[in-house]
Amino acid sequence: MKNNNQLEELIVAGFGGQGVLSLGMTLAYAGMLENKEISWMPSYGPEMRGGTANCITIISANKISSPIISLFDSAIVLNQPSMDKFAPRVKPGGILLYESGTILKPSTRTDIEMIGIPATTEALKMKNTKVMNMIILGAYLQLRPVVSNESILEALQKVLPEKYHHLLPINRQALERGEAMVVELKVQPVS
Amino acid sequence: MAEFKLMKGNEAMAEAAILAGCDAYFGYPITPQSEVLEYLAREMPKHNRIVMQAESEVASINMVYGAAGAGFRTMTSSSSPGISLMQEGISYIAGAELPCLIVNVNRAGPGLGTIQPGQGDYFQSVKGGGHGDYKMIVLAPASVQEMADFVYLGFDLADKYRNPVLLLSDGAIGQMMEKVEFKPYTRPVVDKSTWATTGKPKSRNRNYITSLFIQPERMEVHNLKLEEKFKQIRENEVRFEEINTTDADYLFVAYGLSARICQKAMDIAREKGINIGLLRPITLYPYPYQRLQELASQVKMMLSVELNSGQMVEDVRLGVNGKVPVEFYGRMGGMMPTPEEIVHHLETLIQYHHVN
Amino acid sequence: MSTEQHILPGPVPVLNLPPCHTEEEYEMVYHKPATMVDTTMHYCPGCAHSLVHKLIMEVVEELDIQEKTVGVAPVGCSVFAYDYMDIDMQEAAHGRACAVATGIKRLMPDKYVFTYQGDGDLAAIGIAETLHAINRGENICIVFMNNAVYGMTSGQMAPTTLPGMHTTTSPDGRDVSYYGAPIKVAELMANLPGAFYVTRQAVNSANAVRRTKKALLNAFKYQPLHKGTCLVEIIGNCPSNWKMTPVEASRFIDEEMVKTFPLGDIKIPGAEDMKIY
Ligand SMILES: Cc1ncc(C[n+]2csc(CCOP(=O)(O)OP(=O)(O)O)c2C)c(N)n1
Ligand code: SF4
Ligand SMILES: [Mg+2]
């Protein structure tokens, strides 16, 4: 049993352009809307030019100590290098959610919950590859309901620049699609 | 209820500058703090304030000199290599007693180094990176909230003492997002008319800004005046935060990002039954020597944790003055110690000193 | 590395097909200069930096001066130039390349010394060093990559940013009444008596590349004359921060950049300057 969602230390990692940073940011924003303590620490620098990007997102009921940590309650990984790098850093009993269309060699760990979601294919079906990250976020929230869906939707409104607000409905659908995919997999929420 | 915003440390600092009534910002792009100039280039014109991308940090700091000398609330920001370039200007600003805010979002060096976070500029910041006898008030934020709060505080202290104030942050605090509240702020009324170069009316003598006192006798008088000011600062402006020190047998001393990492290390250590506390200096100049001296009679050992090769530890030792062992643990090059790594080091040290 | 390896890469023997041609039967039509380090570059796709690196290294190869050449790398996207050019190089602090090159050349007058600098590096923070080096007539070659933005730090305004051009620090477009007009470095520096050869070229088409190559070749050839500084301004690009595809960027150069930065020679050595030959 986790400590009642008191503290969630999450890493989101993938290629630049997969929406890794905005996924973490949306989550952090939603946490803030629920009056929780949050921190969002991105990787930065030239390696982001087409390279990998990641962000550590922490949501907590109490004041957050270090924004930089090396072990995670959950990991969301969207490419193979991130799988290789972060799978060993998930705490035993933690969650590893991954994009199963991109990652062909998932970790072989058995002491963590591994869930693969073909989010890219799903996003293609929705005719907007950009919402892949929201499908993943929906799936994650189904597994780890650290914030409510209402907060996420409100957060999206704040995180998305106004000129993209016409995309809010498709983002919402993507979130719902992700949730449904986890339900179909019959994985129990971990809390 | 308080209204929070989700912002990067760099953006929070920029927004606070606007709210603090900063009249002018001069800067030159450098990672990891370019967001400040980018944010202000967008926002300052809306408030009819001056924002200027200078041709170099040498130019930025001298533009600050000019604007501050004319009595305006003014600031610049940069990261380590750029701050090195500013040292000449900072010395002149301190010599001419001009209030201004300088922000260093510390990256790892020396030289071009890397753009990842570091604390290698500690000596440069607190011991005087430029030439001559001068001190800056140095504030070390450890959160996005403090990035904003210390902008107000920094400007106010600068005005109060007619002295440059340095906000010493790092790449992580600058780049990360946390929630931040912009607290209501009232700007103290400061009369700058006795020295600011605003144009001489018939009614007063001319004002001039200079750091040149060619006669040694007059220079020394000026030096003594500055020293008196630094003494006042040492007496009145020491700031620090203590966590879990009441029952502490050991003490972490760390500032900025390192202090955040140490908090996590402290939680882990306490779970293991090691009673450790944390002293986080908020002002790096003036330094909380006094408080360290007091704590030295309570704890058995102190561990200074820094993102450098061991700089602040020298000040911890000055404060402790040999009473208890003062050890150091650090990472460099933009690498960050993990909390587990720090605890491991702590345990080894405790064994080594047999201070259990 | 032998040149054969360039034209016959690994897959042929791996596929185990009977060879249609022996290696000798291939006619060498193109090869990367041997003075280039054989490695992957960090530049964005379509970036002009890599192409110009290669042109300089072709010049070094053709003049056979690898042993006599020392380059100075700037701070900018080309900060890692020394990883790609197989010659001795020094990395200078931001803007100080011409001062560093002065130090090198004054102590080793027989060497071929060049700097490679971006517009932020040369025309903003380093304009004083550049101007004074040229004014002293330092016998160096300055390769000036003008891409109208700060590429490395993600697209801030440069001294060469076009009027009205949007950058992260000129979000409403460069306002000339506030920041002045773009600096025409080549024209400005050509006024200095120390400048010996000044030209502005581009690399956005095959013809432009050939002309740039010629200009670089001249600039290096002039060095032993000890007649002054050679400045080759090259209109580069920055597809990433211009937010364009490389093809759009090439078009933008023809349609917009050249209006402010016309191409061609600005100062060429007179006949008597060349008498020494
Ligand atoms: C003293 C100092 N200030 C700022 C920087 C940050 N910086 C690195 S590269 C650069 C600008 C590069 O632009 P440019 O010279 O045009 O080269 P490009 O990347 O466009 O090729 C800046 C400002 C630095 N490294 N050192
Ligand atoms: S950022 Fe611009 S100048 Fe730098 S490598 Fe990419 S395209 Fe080239
Ligand atoms: Mg440039």
Side-chain angles (χ1 to χ4, degrees):
Chain A
M1 255 313 248
K2 286 254 341 175
N3 44 1
N4 275 335
N5 295 347
Q6 285 288 299
L7 174 67
E8 168 75 349
E9 296 177 327
L10 165 75
I11 178 107
V12 191
F15 288 122
Q18 281 182 313
V20 164
L21 300 186
S22 59
L23 193 168
M25 204 189 292
T26 310
L27 199 58
Y29 212 111
M32 182 177 77
L33 293 174
E34 294 187 4
N35 248 327
K36 296 189 163 114
E37 297 297 326
I38 41 137
S39 85
W40 175 87
M41 179 74 229
S43 60
Y44 62 92
E47 81 269 20
M48 285 165 67
R49 267 185 203 135
T52 57
N54 70 63
C55 62
I56 300 171
T57 303
I58 305 178
I59 302 186
S60 168
N62 305 310
K63 211 167 169 221
I64 292 166
S65 52
S66 178
I68 294 173
I69 45 178
S70 51
L71 300 172
F72 306 98
D73 298 319
S74 308
I76 296 178
V77 294
L78 304 182
N79 67 3
Q80 191 67 45
S82 302
M83 169 63 88
D84 300 342
K85 186 166 176 189
F86 294 111
R89 305 226 212 137
V90 179
K91 293 181 198 163
I95 293 176
L96 201 162
L97 175 64
Y98 64 98
E99 206 294 311
S100 55
T102 319
I103 296 173
L104 302 177
K105 274 194 268 170
S107 160
T108 50
R109 279 182 69 172
T110 51
D111 60 339
I112 56 175
E113 182 108 52
M114 305 257 310
I115 301 103
I117 295 277
T120 307
T121 321
E122 240 6 76
L124 275 174
K125 282 190 207 155
M126 296 176 70
K127 298 198 173 51
N128 189 335
T129 48
K130 287 246 146 82
V131 299
M132 186 272 276
N133 64 341
M134 287 299 129
I135 297 177
I136 289 280
L137 178 58
Y140 167 76
L141 286 170
Q142 179 63 26
L143 293 161
R144 296 278 291 133
V146 284
V147 292
S148 72
N149 281 4
E150 296 79 63
S151 306
I152 286 285
L153 292 174
E154 200 182 330
L156 260 181
Q157 207 153 351
K158 298 275 165 65
V159 172
L160 271 184
E162 205 133 323
K163 59 177 172 183
Y164 295 124
H165 274 189
H166 62 281
L167 295 175
L168 282 170
I170 187 161
N171 274 285
R172 176 193 311 225
Q173 286 161 25
L175 282 163
E176 285 162 4
R177 191 67 210 108
E179 280 168 34
M181 289 168 86
V182 169
V183 173
E184 284 155 27
L185 284 173
K186 294 204 175 59
V187 188
Q188 293 302 313
V190 187
S191 61
Chain B
M1 212 192 71
E3 202 205 315
F4 287 108
K5 289 196 164 134
L6 183 67
M7 280 183 148
K8 284 188 171 194
N10 287 336
E11 294 167 343
M13 180 229 297
E15 179 62 27
I18 293 173
L19 296 173
C22 176
D23 296 304
Y25 171 91
F26 305 98
Y28 186 77
I30 185 168
T31 314
Q33 67 78 56
S34 295
E35 293 84 3
V36 187
L37 175 59
E38 292 173 354
Y39 189 96
L40 293 175
R42 199 176 65 229
E43 299 299 326
M44 287 283 257
K46 296 180 191 162
H47 300 266
N48 275 327
R49 318 268 183 84
I50 295 298
V51 58
M52 171 71 63
Q53 177 177 331
E55 67 272 27
S56 72
E57 293 84 355
V58 175
S60 313
I61 194 71
N62 285 293
M63 289 172 181
V64 166
Y65 183 103
F72 292 96
R73 188 162 256 205
T74 174
M75 74 179 283
T76 182
S77 67
S78 186
S79 177
S80 308
I83 297 288
S84 287
L85 268 191
M86 290 184 192
Q87 292 305 323
E88 176 195 61
I90 293 174
S91 171
Y92 279 67
I93 285 173
E97 293 192 89
L98 298 177
C100 66
L101 184 65
I102 301 154
V103 182
N104 181 2
V105 183
N106 203 159
R107 64 192 227 187
L112 209 43
T114 153
I115 54 178
Q116 300 305 317
Q119 295 182 323
D121 300 353
Y122 180 87
F123 280 152
Q124 183 200 56
S125 311
V126 305
K127 309 288 178 192
H131 61 281
D133 277 309
Y134 75 93
K135 291 289 178 197
M136 283 190 284
I137 298 172
V138 182
L139 301 170
S143 62
V144 173
Q145 183 64 52
E146 285 188 345
M147 284 289 268
D149 294 348
F150 291 0
V151 169
Y152 307 111
L153 177 65
F155 272 128
D156 289 352
L157 290 174
D159 279 344
K160 183 172 169 192
Y161 294 99
R162 271 189 71 181
N163 205 65
V165 171
L166 179 79
L167 208 150
L168 181 61
S169 179
D170 64 64
I173 307 273
Q175 290 296 325
M176 77 181 192
M177 280 189 168
E178 288 183 316
K179 58 184 188 183
V180 52
E181 179 197 0
F182 293 98
K183 295 164 191 153
Y185 166 74
T186 26
R187 182 169 166 179
V189 182
V190 182
D191 178 20
K192 300 183 177 177
S193 67
T194 54
W195 54 267
T197 57
T198 49
K200 175 189 161 333
K202 291 226 158 23
S203 55
R204 68 155 165 80
N205 290 335
R206 72 208 151 90
N207 287 340
Y208 59 90
I209 303 294
T210 184
S211 63
L212 170 71
F213 302 89
I214 197 85
Q215 293 155 311
E217 295 81 2
R218 288 213 38 214
M219 184 70 226
E220 192 180 41
V221 169
H222 183 63
N223 284 137
L224 289 170
K225 180 181 160 214
L226 291 179
E227 283 311 308
E228 176 54 32
K229 176 166 86 178
F230 302 141
K231 187 165 153 255
Q232 295 279 317
I233 291 171
R234 284 195 296 272
E235 279 166 11
N236 300 323
E237 305 301 344
V238 175
R239 287 172 172 79
F240 54 86
E241 183 191 19
E242 280 180 51
I243 306 177
N244 288 341
T245 47
T246 24
D247 68 338
D249 299 324
Y250 307 96
L251 190 70
F252 283 131
V253 189
Y255 72 94
L257 179 67
S258 311
R260 294 286 294 269
I261 302 175
C262 279
Q263 276 178 50
K264 182 109 189 163
M266 185 170 68
D267 294 343
I268 298 173
R270 283 195 165 249
E271 256 168 52
K272 291 183 164 195
I274 306 170
N275 276 345
I276 186 153
L278 168 70
L279 181 103
R280 175 172 78 90
I282 287 172
T283 49
L284 300 178
Y285 183 90
Y287 198 75
Y289 293 116
Q290 179 78 38
R291 185 61 193 140
L292 277 167
Q293 199 168 40
E294 289 159 18
L295 284 166
S297 45
Q298 177 195 325
V299 304
K300 301 178 208 165
M301 182 187 71
M302 296 188 191
L303 178 60
S304 180
V305 180
E306 304 167 50
L307 302 179
N308 56 39
S309 64
Q311 301 192 12
M312 185 184 75
V313 65
E314 295 191 4
D315 280 325
V316 182
R317 289 193 177 124
L318 274 179
V320 168
N321 203 8
K323 255 190 184 166
V324 291
V326 176
E327 295 287 356
F328 166 75
Y329 188 70
R331 293 291 299 264
M332 286 176 283
M335 298 300 290
M336 239 90 52
T338 64
E340 292 81 9
E341 181 181 339
I342 296 172
V343 174
H344 177 74
H345 193 72
L346 173 71
E347 288 175 315
T348 320
L349 285 170
I350 291 175
Q351 273 198 347
Y352 171 77
H353 285 292
H354 294 294
V355 281
N356 248 337
Chain C
M1 172 179 265
S2 75
T3 43
E4 281 82 354
Q5 273 170 289
H6 285 288
I7 45 169
L8 260 191
V12 177
V14 171
L15 284 175
N16 230 358
L17 296 171
C20 326
H21 299 275
T22 60
E23 286 180 23
E24 294 75 44
E25 280 172 323
Y26 282 101
E27 186 200 347
M28 170 71 80
V29 290
Y30 173 81
H31 70 90
K32 191 158 80 167
T35 42
M36 277 310 265
V37 177
D38 195 22
T39 182
T40 314
M41 290 184 168
H42 73 288
Y43 296 114
C44 305
C47 176
H49 276 308
S50 44
L51 173 54
V52 176
H53 285 9
K54 191 198 69 178
L55 294 181
I56 299 171
M57 286 303 100
E58 280 180 0
V59 167
V60 170
E61 184 177 53
E62 281 166 33
L63 297 178
D64 194 17
I65 53 171
Q66 188 176 21
E67 277 177 45
K68 288 191 244 161
T69 304
V70 181
V72 182
V75 177
C77 278
S78 46
V79 68
F80 297 120
Y82 54 77
D83 282 341
Y84 309 134
M85 302 187 191
D86 194 13
I87 51 168
D88 287 353
M89 286 192 85
Q90 295 191 16
E91 163 61 34
H94 194 25
R96 315 294 177 230
C98 282
V100 172
T102 299
I104 299 170
K105 184 76 182 191
R106 288 285 171 142
L107 276 289
M108 301 191 294
D110 298 339
K111 294 285 172 348
Y112 290 79
V113 177
F114 74 94
T115 70
Y116 184 100
Q117 299 176 260
D119 37 47
D121 193 87
L122 182 144
I125 196 166
I127 192 122
E129 284 78 0
T130 310
L131 189 141
H132 284 284
I134 298 174
N135 193 49
R136 291 189 302 265
E138 297 296 341
N139 290 298
I140 58 174
C141 168
I142 301 170
V143 182
F144 170 42
M145 288 296 289
N146 175 0
N147 61 3
V149 285
Y150 287 16
M152 179 76 161
T153 43
S154 304
Q156 293 86 5
M157 183 183 63
T160 47
T161 296
L162 302 182
M165 192 169 169
H166 294 255
T167 71
T168 56
T169 51
S170 57
D172 301 323
R174 180 187 184 125
D175 178 355
V176 172
S177 70
Y178 196 81
Y179 274 115
I183 299 180
K184 302 184 183 194
V185 170
E187 286 84 349
L188 177 70
M189 298 301 177
N191 284 320
L192 300 170
F196 184 63
Y197 169 55
V198 179
T199 185
R200 184 184 289 115
Q201 301 296 338
V203 286
N204 61 334
S205 70
N207 278 335
V209 171
R210 271 194 283 276
R211 280 192 291 268
T212 300
K213 167 78 178 294
K214 188 84 203 305
L216 288 167
L217 201 57
N218 284 340
F220 272 77
K221 274 188 182 166
Y222 293 150
Q223 267 207 44
L225 302 184
H226 290 269
K227 286 275 187 177
T229 312
C230 298
L231 171 67
V232 182
E233 174 170 339
I234 299 169
I235 304 301
N237 64 6
C238 182
S240 296
N241 290 302
W242 291 1
K243 309 222 182 314
M244 294 178 192
T245 64
V247 175
E248 286 165 350
S250 290
R251 207 173 301 137
F252 180 76
I253 292 168
D254 282 337
E255 287 167 7
E256 296 300 328
M257 292 280 281
V258 297
K259 284 189 201 153
T260 305
F261 301 113
L263 306 182
D265 290 335
I266 292 154
K267 188 172 191 178
I268 44 172
E272 76 239 45
D273 281 327
M274 301 296 286
K275 245 185 244 158
I276 202 160
Y277 253 151

